[in-house]
Amino acid sequence: MHSNDHSRHLPANSNVCLIGLMGSGKSTVGPLLARRLGYLFVDLDREIAASMGRSIREIFEQYGEKRFRHEEHDQLLRFCRQERQVLACGGGVVVTPSNHECLRQQITVYLETSPATLAQRVGADKERPLLKDAASVTQRMETILKDREQLYRACAGIIISTEGKEPPALVEELLAKIPTDIQEQAS
Ligand code: S3P
């Protein structure tokens, strides 16, 4: 676990953005953390699907990844203009360079997880476009992680390993890392 400096000087109402690969626990930890902070939980993939009237798989199939990334960028910026939310970002949010500044202005947490654990948690999920044709999910996770790991690290103010931890324990660990001024306002 480590903290970059840019997490420390954020305003009290900052959003918390959860980043990390598919299966890192963003959608599981997010609602628990939001409840503890008295924040709203927002799943960005769900918002993208709602705004386009299609599932993520359908968006990739019908419009392609580029269009999806464009919509992802718009939704990220839309929610980051608001306050007091825990945002579960899609695993690929960091591949769009114009998202980096926005993420660095929030309390961004990288849920660091090994490819083997990610594969175990996600299984062979046909709904996830990036895993659709993978012969080995672990190998696919390794490849994607190699491309993204530095980006996750550069965008996150807080990095926390999820290995061998149940979501409630992770939330406690995270609460100890989140700047105290936002917690003082938590209900
Ligand atoms: C993606 C991750 C997915 C979803 C889309 C692309 C990625 O979100 O945004 O399938 O590029 O890693 P989750 O990380 O919530 O599964």
Side-chain angles (χ1 to χ4, degrees), residues 70-83:
H70 193 82
E71 187 65 25
E72 185 177 50
H73 171 75
D74 286 352
Q75 294 294 335
L76 177 71
L77 262 53
R78 178 162 89 91
F79 282 97
C80 286
R81 280 194 289 270
Q82 300 163 37
E83 295 179 332

Side-chain angles (χ1 to χ4, degrees), residues 18 24-32 41 43 45-46 88-89 111 128:
L18 302 178
S24 58
K26 296 162 292 181
S27 313
T28 318
V29 169
L32 300 176
F41 173 69
D43 184 315
D45 273 353
R46 208 182 298 151
C89 301
L111 298 177
R128 287 178 150 108

Side-chain angles (χ1 to χ4, degrees), residues 1 110-114 159-165 170 173:
M1 209 161 34
Y110 170 34
L111 298 177
E112 188 182 28
T113 313
S114 69
I159 298 174
I160 185 167
S161 165
T162 76
E163 292 298 324
K165 296 172 193 164
L170 251 177
E173 211 177 312

